[in-house]
Amino acid sequence: MNAPILKLFVLVLVLFAALAGMTSYNSVINADEYRENALNQRPLLKQALVKRGAIRARDGSLLARSVRGDDGIYSRRYSPLARRFSHVLGYDYALTIGRAGLEKSRNDELAGAGTELSSIVDDLSGKRQVGDNIVTNLDSRAQQVALDALGGRRGSVVALEPATGKVRVMASTPGFDPNALRDPQTFTRLNREDNSPLFHRATQAGYAPGSTMKVVTAAAALDSGQFTPESTVSGESPIVVSGVPLNNFSNAQFGSITLTTALTNSVNTVWARVAEQLGDGEMAKYMERFGFGSDPPMDYPDEQMLPSGVYDAEQELLDVDSGDVDIGRVAIGQERLRVTPLQMASVVATIANGGMRMEPRIASRIVDEDGRTVERVEPEEAERVMSEESAAQLTQMMSNVVREGTGTAAALQGIEVAGKTGTAELNIPQNLNQPWFVGFAPRSNPKVAIAVTLENIVGAQGGIVAAPIAKRVMESLLR
Amino acid sequence: MTARNRELFALIPASLLLTAGFAAVFIQRDDLLSDLSLTYGAIFLALCLAAHLVLRMTLPDADPYLFPLVAVLACFGLVMLYRLDEDFARDQAQWFVVGLIVFTVTIVALRRDHRILERYRYVIALGGIVLLLLPRLGSPVNGAYLSFSAGPISFQPAEIAKIAIVIFLASYLRDTRQVLVVGARRFAGITFPPLKHLGPLLAVWGTAMALLFVIQDLGSSVMFFGGFLALVYVATNRISFVVIGLGLFALGARVLYAVRPTIEARVDAWLNPFDPDLYEREVGGSYQIAQSIFSQADGGFFGQGFGAALVQLGDNPPLLPAAHTDLIYAVITDELGLLGAVAVLLVYLLIVQRGFKTAMLATDSFSKLLATGLTVVLALQVFVIVGGVTKLIPLTGVTLPFISYGGSSIVANFILLALLLLVSDRARREAMAT
């Protein structure tokens, strides 16, 4: 009977080899896929067992912290100040509704996802793993000024420091209370609300930029070498652009005027002619350099940022030089152009920074639990958009806008401001407009670049509605 | 070196494992060393030594490796249970005392000649079947009738019944194996056993089927029926009998699958563990198997370390249900990685090897069949639960021998070990004499 016993042992060997094989598959071979399975809450729970770092405003005031529950799971608590920064800060309710905003983009630092080695060392030394704290660039006082100035209307204010890309103000109204989202039902309800309080207008909303786009056109005109601020172009109205007549505002007639005058008075026909002369290739080149066509390089989740550009009916980005785009109207912010307030703030910040576009940064420093700075978030150059000389010429033209043109309402006492207004006509029968102001100050040594816009305001002009908001926020930041 | 001295030396790794395991749990918990738990460890080692002395006096020639291998598993199980819940470890330690007493009693009672069991084979068989039917008096757990409660004690009779059935089969097949072979008829290319001896074999098949229908426990039926087929194969050396048996079992399982919704649910959960509907289902869903796999995925090659697996957080429902019984292998993989899990499988494999070795050394048919049967049911039990936990086969609730929490499992497996050692002692002595 020994031969069958031996065969039986071989069978057991095969069965056990299959067990070892399945164990290898589960624990090593296919483990990554299982760890990423949507039903698998273990990675999130493990993070929830680690004390998550706090988030602070620029002045050190607390925005978010974590408290430990009886079951050892930490949960997020937001300070009253956090309500001002609801969108940019986001939320961390990873086990229920997920994460958003800075809480998501800086999760690795906040969760303390250190290296494997350091966690082993921590284990041996008996040190509990904790997340790092983040100090942001956000200015809570100026943010409140922006919110007050928006006054409950749907809109957004973005203010950047031109030389570094630091995000000082990033307001989107209406906002929400991040603490309220601890209840997933509140999240569902807010998600369905008509005025979309969870929607981050500063980074996600694609608005018609109106005449603020002329700044981009002017940059292309000057830097390409084909125009100077003194080049003269006819400002007659209407003219035919891409087979359709184009008017100036109030159908105002201008003769041969310089580009400086054309920007100061926001003459549509001049900038349409300029763009047509430059051609869609040249315009596409400069738009791309300014960052159009891709997500802004900010420390913020990609899915919460919209690339600015020309969108087709299927909501797909179109190539500006594809031949299907009316470049004369793109030049003055019409056509199917959609931009985010962050994109426009980045445009003016680039001009203020002598033509060098900087990557926007929300976080300033990563600080460990003992208060030591682990990492300083250094400014990063994104791309040189234009020469310093072109930027200086454009700055000169934009300061005329605020001194004597459409943007006088943004002027500050004793500080020279450069800027550009915009008024996108969204619904002409109902007279619904999207007013804009973009600009920076002080002109000679810019400390702040700003974009302000509001949604669907009856009869509003950028110079009348948006420019005063920009003025108040810039005042707060420069004071 | 004598067999018993080798056994004594082989117990050293077990004691080191116990010490290292407790130390690891302490470090992980960041606690001060608790005198109480160290005492448990010391008592446990003393018990192992006591059992060793019993063997030294009663079965001097028995296989020297079987007991230390079991002690390694038991120590390891105790550390795992201690890591999950100190109360589990304390209960388990108490059950070890009971198990070792039953172990000693079994050896002392049968040491003159274990073949005395043959005389009582029908009583033993009947007792096994009655045991299996007892849980039917109670209420089902997760759709299966697995345990029987008498006052504060709840036990799983299938654990004891598996031994009873192996004893019966070993004895019955010793009697009939010759006639089964000689009287066999070939029909349509397949060799069939003679009809008049088919009766009891069909009765075994019927019992396995009845088990499926009555207690609805797929795991135990696979164990019983697998042991049965293995014994028939060893007794007759006819693979065709095994094929017929497998066909009959498949037929029964297929019918049951169609009739019993719980079995169908098990199979569904096995095939689609990550189906959100099945995952969310309160009863009979795939939550347990999905969590088992997620837990193993956390382990990786080296594991997260003792005490690091996510099993339960505070008073929330457990993340890993039945971590101390059915899913303990998932916790082992999680904390000790593929390396630790395969090491555990290797220890079982070594026990199986010693068991088969004992069967091959034995000179009489009954002892051969008994050792083979006991070894096969042990191996199949490991296969059924580890296969279930790793999603190789549908998950059914049986214990991981000597490691899982559970009194009846410990006691039954110590009886199994005692019988193997009894067979081994006689076989090795006879082998040495010749």
Side-chain angles (χ1 to χ4, degrees):
Chain A
M1 285 193 279
N2 284 354
I5 294 177
L6 210 55
K7 283 181 193 160
L8 217 49
F9 183 55
V10 172
L11 176 69
V12 172
L13 282 177
V14 171
L15 290 180
F16 273 55
L19 295 180
M22 271 317 273
T23 310
S24 316
Y25 184 77
N26 292 340
S27 65
V28 176
I29 298 168
N30 202 40
D32 286 340
E33 196 169 304
Y34 288 140
R35 274 194 285 265
E36 283 156 25
N37 189 295
L39 295 172
N40 190 353
Q41 289 218 314
R42 284 163 176 275
L44 296 176
L45 278 169
K46 274 190 222 165
Q47 288 191 346
L49 291 171
V50 171
K51 187 178 184 197
R52 191 175 175 83
I55 302 179
R56 295 175 184 281
R58 181 191 181 188
D59 59 7
S61 49
L62 187 70
L63 300 178
R65 70 192 170 100
S66 276
V67 295
R68 190 170 188 271
D70 291 336
D71 48 9
I73 297 179
Y74 283 92
S75 60
R76 214 56 169 153
R77 295 284 183 279
Y78 294 94
S79 77
L81 211 55
R83 222 184 172 295
R84 299 181 191 173
F85 295 105
S86 40
H87 298 96
V88 58
L89 194 59
Y91 46 82
D92 170 66
Y93 297 115
L95 294 172
T96 51
I97 56 171
R99 294 192 183 102
L102 191 70
E103 291 270 33
K104 181 172 192 174
S105 58
R106 292 282 180 184
N107 183 56
D108 283 355
E109 290 97 334
L110 289 166
T115 60
E116 196 67 23
L117 185 69
S118 73
S119 64
I120 289 172
V121 171
D122 285 353
D123 261 4
L124 292 176
S125 61
K127 190 180 163 191
R128 292 188 70 86
Q129 199 192 349
V130 290
D132 287 330
N133 302 319
I134 288 181
V135 179
T136 63
N137 291 316
L138 301 167
D139 188 308
S140 48
R141 201 183 52 189
Q143 179 88 4
Q144 187 60 48
V145 171
L147 292 171
D148 290 347
L150 287 167
R153 293 169 291 183
R154 283 172 295 170
S156 174
V157 176
V158 176
L160 307 172
E161 188 177 273
T164 58
K166 290 179 177 180
V167 178
R168 291 294 185 219
V169 170
M170 189 166 265
S172 169
T173 48
F176 58 91
D177 176 4
N179 281 318
L181 299 185
R182 191 168 303 118
D183 177 7
Q185 287 177 341
T186 307
F187 176 76
T188 313
R189 183 172 53 77
L190 290 179
N191 236 341
R192 291 202 195 110
E193 261 181 31
D194 284 343
N195 56 4
S196 323
L198 297 176
F199 186 62
H200 191 187
R201 290 173 164 77
T203 59
Q204 289 178 287
Y207 293 130
S211 300
T212 56
M213 190 63 189
K214 289 170 187 164
V215 172
V216 174
T217 312
L222 298 174
D223 198 61
S224 66
Q226 296 185 41
F227 294 88
T228 69
E230 280 70 47
S231 302
T232 54
V233 179
S234 165
E236 64 176 315
S237 174
I239 59 167
V240 176
V241 174
S242 293
V244 182
L246 175 74
N247 288 314
N248 282 335
F249 184 65
S250 309
N251 205 22
Q253 296 293 327
F254 294 87
S256 250
I257 53 170
T258 64
L259 291 191
T260 302
T261 310
L263 194 72
T264 306
N265 297 306
S266 201
V267 181
N268 287 344
T269 53
V270 170
W271 294 107
R273 281 180 197 270
V274 167
E276 290 203 313
Q277 192 179 323
L278 288 170
D280 54 6
E282 201 69 5
M283 280 297 288
K285 183 172 94 180
Y286 280 92
M287 284 173 70
E288 198 185 308
R289 285 188 189 175
F290 270 117
F292 286 79
S294 50
D295 283 332
M298 187 165 72
D299 48 349
Y300 202 70
D302 281 344
E303 61 275 19
Q304 281 181 268
M305 292 194 285
L306 177 82
S308 301
V310 180
Y311 282 81
D312 66 12
E314 277 78 47
Q315 309 300 319
E316 297 284 336
L317 266 176
L318 274 176
D319 285 331
V320 175
D321 54 0
S322 62
D324 299 332
V325 172
D326 175 352
I327 201 65
R329 283 187 168 79
V330 167
I332 58 168
Q334 297 185 6
E335 241 275 33
R336 293 158 291 176
L337 187 60
R338 287 164 56 191
V339 302
T340 62
L342 173 61
Q343 175 63 61
M344 293 319 287
S346 180
V347 165
V348 283
T350 302
I351 298 162
N353 193 37
M356 175 60 76
R357 180 162 65 96
M358 304 302 291
E359 297 191 350
R361 284 287 178 269
I362 299 168
S364 164
R365 282 181 296 138
I366 316 294
V367 180
D368 72 9
E369 58 166 338
D370 303 325
R372 283 179 299 234
T373 297
V374 184
E375 186 198 336
R376 213 167 272 285
V377 181
E378 299 296 337
E380 292 278 345
E381 294 181 349
E383 188 171 6
R384 175 154 289 282
V385 177
M386 63 187 130
S387 67
E388 283 195 33
E389 191 191 354
S390 311
Q393 290 171 340
L394 188 48
T395 301
Q396 171 69 42
M397 290 163 72
M398 287 168 69
S399 49
N400 270 8
V401 173
V402 177
R403 195 184 319 115
E404 60 197 48
T406 54
T408 50
L412 295 171
Q413 186 80 41
I415 299 171
E416 206 174 345
V417 178
K420 181 73 193 84
T421 60
T423 306
E425 296 173 328
L426 302 177
N427 185 326
I428 293 168
Q430 291 181 26
N431 198 17
L432 287 180
N433 291 346
Q434 172 99 18
W436 281 88
F437 180 85
V438 298
F440 55 88
R443 178 197 154 180
S444 51
N445 180 22
K447 290 290 178 218
V448 53
I450 192 166
V452 176
T453 191
L454 294 121
E455 285 178 23
N456 291 336
I457 307 288
V458 176
Q461 300 292 315
I464 294 162
V465 177
I469 297 176
K471 175 188 172 175
R472 286 173 64 183
V473 175
M474 286 193 292
E475 235 171 10
S476 167
L477 283 168
L478 293 172
R479 194 163 54 190
Chain B
M1 207 184 329
T2 68
R4 295 280 71 76
N5 285 346
R6 266 188 259 172
E7 183 176 81
L8 189 58
F9 277 108
L11 280 170
I12 293 173
S15 57
L16 288 179
L17 186 85
L18 188 74
T19 317
F22 273 112
V25 177
F26 287 134
I27 289 174
Q28 177 71 32
R29 291 217 184 137
D30 228 11
D31 284 344
L32 294 171
L33 286 176
S34 143
D35 288 351
L36 190 66
S37 348
L38 275 187
T39 311
Y40 284 137
I43 290 175
F44 188 76
L45 284 178
L47 285 172
C48 286
L49 281 178
H52 164 74
L53 288 177
V54 169
L55 289 176
R56 201 172 259 275
M57 285 186 293
T58 53
L59 305 175
D61 297 312
D63 189 291
Y65 301 113
L66 274 171
F67 184 72
L69 286 168
V70 165
V72 164
L73 290 177
C75 289
F76 181 70
L78 207 62
V79 174
M80 289 308 293
L81 289 174
Y82 180 76
R83 167 257 172 280
L84 288 170
D85 188 334
E86 290 177 39
D87 291 344
F88 288 155
R90 196 185 53 226
D91 284 3
Q92 186 83 340
Q94 285 166 2
W95 277 112
F96 265 114
V97 177
V98 176
L100 284 173
I101 291 170
V102 174
F103 174 76
T104 309
V105 168
T106 309
I107 287 173
V108 170
L110 298 175
R111 94 182 134 137
R112 233 171 264 288
D113 191 351
H114 60 272
R115 288 171 293 191
I116 198 166
L117 288 170
E118 286 205 81
R119 281 193 225 157
Y120 305 106
R121 70 184 184 204
Y122 289 107
V123 177
I124 290 171
L126 194 69
I129 289 170
V130 169
L131 275 177
L132 283 173
L133 293 178
L134 273 182
R136 191 65 209 197
L137 300 173
S139 48
V141 177
N142 294 332
Y145 295 87
L146 293 175
S147 63
F148 172 71
S149 302
I153 302 167
S154 156
F155 82 116
Q156 302 204 345
E159 298 277 357
I160 310 277
K162 76 184 176 197
I163 296 171
I165 286 177
V166 166
I167 294 173
F168 166 76
L169 284 174
S171 175
Y172 182 79
L173 287 168
R174 178 197 56 81
D175 263 2
T176 51
R177 63 188 207 94
Q178 297 298 345
V179 273
L180 279 175
V181 176
V182 173
R185 297 281 178 275
R186 284 187 71 80
F187 180 75
I190 301 169
T191 310
F192 286 90
L195 274 180
K196 71 169 179 175
H197 296 290
L198 210 55
L201 298 185
L202 282 175
V204 175
W205 172 78
T207 309
M209 286 301 110
L211 271 182
L212 270 177
F213 278 89
V214 177
I215 65 171
Q216 301 174 32
D217 179 8
L218 196 62
S220 300
S221 340
V222 167
M223 227 161 74
F224 289 128
F225 205 68
F228 165 59
L229 289 182
L231 283 179
V232 169
Y233 174 59
V234 171
T236 63
N237 201 10
R238 287 284 191 281
I239 199 82
S240 59
F241 293 180
V242 177
V243 173
I244 296 167
L246 279 179
L248 287 172
F249 187 78
L251 188 75
R254 182 69 194 84
V255 171
L256 191 77
Y257 178 82
V259 176
R260 292 286 187 204
T262 49
I263 304 281
E264 192 183 343
R266 287 266 167 102
V267 174
D268 276 356
W270 171 55
L271 292 173
N272 311 299
F274 307 122
D275 179 291
D277 285 343
L278 285 171
Y279 183 81
E280 299 286 344
R281 195 177 291 171
E282 294 266 326
V283 175
S286 65
Y287 180 81
Q288 196 180 18
I289 180 64
Q291 286 300 331
S292 166
I293 289 168
F294 292 153
S295 185
Q296 292 168 59
D298 274 357
F301 195 79
F302 295 107
Q304 303 196 88
F306 264 126
L310 287 182
V311 176
Q312 182 157 24
L313 296 169
D315 294 329
N316 298 321
L319 201 58
L320 194 65
H324 59 299
T325 53
D326 298 0
L327 292 194
I328 199 158
Y329 183 78
V331 183
I332 294 170
T333 311
D334 193 333
E335 305 202 330
L336 302 178
L338 176 60
L339 215 58
V342 169
V344 170
L345 290 180
L346 274 180
V347 174
Y348 282 114
L349 213 49
L350 286 175
I351 293 177
V352 168
Q353 192 266 335
R354 297 318 293 178
F356 281 139
K357 173 105 180 169
T358 298
M360 288 168 86
L361 276 179
T363 46
D364 65 292
S365 300
F366 173 66
S367 299
K368 262 187 191 312
L369 290 170
L370 181 63
T372 305
L374 294 173
T375 308
V376 165
V377 290
L378 183 82
L380 279 176
Q381 187 166 348
V382 174
F383 179 76
V384 164
I385 187 58
V386 175
V389 167
T390 55
K391 205 174 84 74
L392 184 64
I393 56 174
L395 178 60
T396 58
V398 297
T399 56
L400 189 59
F402 299 110
I403 293 184
S404 286
Y405 175 79
S408 33
S409 169
I410 291 288
V411 172
N413 285 311
F414 266 117
I415 296 175
L416 190 152
L417 178 67
L419 292 174
L420 272 182
L421 287 170
L422 281 161
V423 174
S424 168
D425 183 56
R426 173 171 292 263
R428 284 167 58 97
R429 191 159 45 245
E430 285 171 3
M432 277 186 283
T434 51

